[in-house]
Amino acid sequence: MQMSTELDFDDHRHVRDLDLKIAVVGLGYIGLPTAVMFASHGHEVIGVDVLPEVVETLARGDIHIEEPGVAPVLKSVVESGSFRPQLLPEKADVFILSVPTPSNDDHSPNLGFVTKAAESIVPYLEPGNLVILESTSPPGTTIGLIPTLERSGLKVGVDIYLAHSPERVLPGRILIELVENDRVIGGYTLESAQKAADLYHSFVQGRILQTDATTAEMAKLMENTFRDVNIALANEFSRIAERVGIDVNEAIRLANHHPRVNILNPGPGVGGHCIAVDPWFIVDSAPEESTLIRTARVVNDAQPGYVADIVTRIVSGIENPTVAVLGLAYKPDVDDIRESPSVEVVKHLSRLGYRLRLHDSHTRSEVAGMPVYGELSQAVSGADAMIILTDHREYHRLEPDDESLSGIVHRILIDTRNCVNPNLWRDAGYAVHRLGVGAPFMVTEGPDLD
Ligand code: SAJ
């Protein structure tokens, strides 16, 4: 079906009076905030999760994820009875599937959770129901659910409505972005798209953009692929900068003054469950056409090893060096260390035989069998070098004479996130090495003509 019209609503109709019963299947980082959002906007919401401990925690009004702002809303919707977590679905007007779509080891998409979620709602489907897939999915996944849904005896597009509405919110800002971001809705039919658009108007204040389901799937994948390719370009520029002897950060800052250029930032790699995964869904769908996308993935995946090589060069003169690793989360100011490039760097350094002391005040997990210290002084004490891998706000604010750094043995700082002011640290006696900076990049004195 071709639906090229982009219908958007100038009047943000808030259809609180719809008062629907909505079952949200999958109560993770996206499903839970979405469910409580609907529950706090006039709908009756059933939250479904296969994990009993998640259901029990939520039923008490407690939360199992860290995401600003969600806990108080959850508490109030549990208390008011508009949100009910449970293990199995039940009859409802709308079913929203919000389950993970991970990659297999060979990077092929693993749609097992989506299939199971779709199967789980089949016994409860009734004429007039709307089914929405929110999980980020390879092109064709939504319409691929039709045979499963039709096991209910109902015809999709005739008896029930089907749409894809990819989430596109940023962890750490989910509640804000659910409301403010524009939302793409892909319908199997025009009517399906319209029904889903009406529903999301309950809380979305951004524009609602309608299209067909497969285009919506691709639009979401293209957003994250755009970012991945752009970060790969920045990482490649940083290697080139080291070779030609310039500061890549300075060059990027200058290039971005061009009104149509926006280069992203180099770093130790790309983490999270989205940007490093989604491009592979496109590669899997069209391998021969995806050479650039595949290459970008390879460049970004190689970055932790590249950073480990830099460390090796820098500490090579020190016997049995101990390296303090600053920042393990996959991005600044979050606690999430899954798929984190910092963890990959730690594994590389550990394989190379270095003694490591890890710091991250946002997470208390173990990494590669090593404790993660919450106090910086614990990690730095006795270290021969420090490396910043995640640009948590606290590292930006760190000063070389900070009490927590007094236990460092050799004053060596490696900054992979353009986090510190190098002159400040050099003045304090530190040897500062920055990713993407080849020395020397500026002649500060005139040539000696004697
Ligand atoms: N990174 C860089 N350099 C940069 C920007 C990011 O190295 O210039 C790294 C980060 O350190 C991190 C990784 O990329 O390791 C990804 O972080 P991110 O903040 O760019 O994105 P995510 O994965 O937290 O969330 C993305 C978002 N997508 C886009 O910005 C296009 C979000 O809106 C999506 O909802 C989310 O993926 C998703 O669920 O798909």
Side-chain angles (χ1 to χ4, degrees):
M1 185 197 57
Q2 194 60 39
M3 282 179 48
S4 55
T5 44
E6 186 188 273
L7 304 173
D8 51 59
F9 298 82
D10 289 331
D11 59 326
H12 293 300
R13 291 179 301 151
H14 290 262
V15 281
R16 285 161 215 265
D17 52 332
L18 271 183
D19 201 10
L20 295 168
K21 184 167 169 188
I22 304 170
V24 177
V25 181
L27 298 174
Y29 274 89
I30 303 301
L32 180 64
T34 305
V36 301
M37 212 56 172
F38 278 118
S40 62
H41 284 78
H43 301 285
E44 179 191 350
V45 180
I46 314 292
V48 182
D49 204 285
V50 290
L51 297 175
E53 58 273 25
V54 167
V55 171
E56 281 158 26
T57 306
L58 295 173
R60 286 197 306 270
D62 294 334
I63 189 161
H64 65 295
I65 59 167
E66 190 180 300
E67 178 59 35
V70 178
V73 191
L74 169 74
K75 215 167 185 50
S76 89
V77 292
V78 169
E79 275 167 15
S80 73
S82 57
F83 175 64
R84 276 188 291 127
Q86 53 191 50
L87 284 167
L88 288 174
E90 62 183 52
K91 286 184 179 173
D93 302 303
V94 181
F95 293 87
I96 296 179
L97 311 182
S98 181
V99 290
T101 44
S103 268
N104 296 315
D105 287 347
D106 65 355
H107 302 304
S108 62
N110 176 348
L111 298 179
F113 296 107
V114 172
T115 310
K116 279 215 168 62
E119 283 167 354
S120 77
I121 64 169
V122 169
Y124 308 99
L125 287 174
E126 290 183 323
N129 281 173
L130 166 64
V131 178
I132 302 173
L133 176 65
E134 276 214 13
S135 314
T136 304
S137 301
T141 306
T142 305
I143 55 174
L145 295 178
I146 291 174
T148 305
L149 299 176
E150 290 190 342
R151 280 188 225 153
S152 61
L154 300 165
K155 190 136 184 61
V156 175
V158 178
D159 305 316
I160 54 174
Y161 306 99
L162 175 64
H164 176 59
S165 180
E167 62 78 15
R168 48 198 340 209
V169 289
L170 202 65
R173 283 176 48 84
I174 292 180
L175 278 196
I176 299 165
E177 295 209 352
L178 273 177
V179 173
E180 291 181 355
N181 288 4
D182 293 347
R183 186 143 201 141
V184 176
I185 308 244
Y188 174 58
T189 56
L190 277 169
E191 224 182 343
S192 299
Q194 188 58 52
K195 290 256 179 217
D198 286 346
L199 176 74
Y200 285 103
H201 270 299
S202 305
F203 60 78
V204 172
Q205 286 171 15
R207 293 168 74 192
I208 295 206
L209 311 163
Q210 295 184 36
T211 183
D212 66 273
T214 308
T215 304
E217 287 161 347
M218 269 305 283
K220 163 70 198 222
L221 298 176
M222 285 159 57
E223 291 163 14
N224 282 348
T225 300
F226 166 84
R227 223 164 147 74
D228 196 45
V229 171
N230 196 335
I231 297 168
L233 182 64
N235 283 335
E236 193 158 289
F237 280 153
S238 88
R239 297 177 192 196
I240 294 165
E242 286 170 16
R243 184 165 297 275
V244 303
I246 61 147
D247 177 345
V248 76
N249 308 297
E250 172 77 348
I252 290 174
R253 187 179 68 78
L254 297 172
N256 284 351
H257 271 273
H258 188 288
R260 286 176 296 284
V261 173
N262 183 20
I263 303 166
L264 291 176
N265 301 311
V270 173
H273 332 291
C274 312
I275 295 188
V277 173
D278 297 355
W280 287 118
F281 291 178
I282 298 184
V283 174
D284 186 73
S285 298
E288 284 176 23
E289 293 78 8
S290 308
T291 45
L292 173 65
I293 298 171
R294 186 189 292 103
T295 303
R297 279 280 70 247
V298 171
V299 168
N300 286 336
D301 274 352
Q303 201 67 359
Y306 181 77
V307 167
D309 288 346
I310 292 177
V311 176
T312 303
R313 280 204 302 276
I314 291 168
V315 299
S316 60
I318 302 171
E319 202 180 324
N320 269 334
T322 299
V323 180
V325 173
L326 276 54
L328 295 155
Y330 85 95
K331 67 180 201 173
D333 305 321
V334 300
D335 67 334
D336 198 343
I337 60 164
R338 291 171 299 166
E339 332 288 342
S340 170
S342 309
V343 172
E344 289 308 308
V345 175
V346 165
K347 287 182 186 162
H348 277 285
L349 294 176
S350 170
R351 275 197 293 271
L352 289 164
Y354 298 122
R355 278 184 305 201
L356 304 174
R357 298 178 68 83
L358 315 180
H359 174 257
D360 198 309
S361 57
H362 295 261
T363 176
R364 287 286 169 280
S365 325
E366 271 199 351
V367 167
M370 286 171 267
V372 177
Y373 298 114
E375 294 294 327
L376 189 55
S377 55
Q378 288 176 292
V380 168
S381 166
D384 297 289
M386 302 190 278
I387 180 166
I388 298 176
L389 292 177
T390 308
D391 44 343
H392 289 315
R393 218 168 310 157
E394 67 186 289
Y395 303 142
H396 282 280
R397 294 193 190 125
L398 192 61
E399 307 236 333
D401 56 3
D402 196 285
E403 184 58 37
S404 60
L405 303 179
S406 57
I408 194 155
V409 179
H410 290 98
R411 295 193 157 207
I412 298 174
L413 172 65
I414 306 165
D415 181 6
T416 68
R417 293 284 191 179
N418 191 24
C419 220
V420 303
N421 173 348
N423 294 333
L424 190 72
W425 288 74
R426 283 190 186 119
D427 288 351
Y430 272 84
V432 181
H433 304 268
R434 297 156 71 216
L435 185 76
V437 181
F441 62 91
M442 191 181 275
V443 178
T444 48
E445 288 169 37
D448 188 354
L449 300 176
D450 289 349

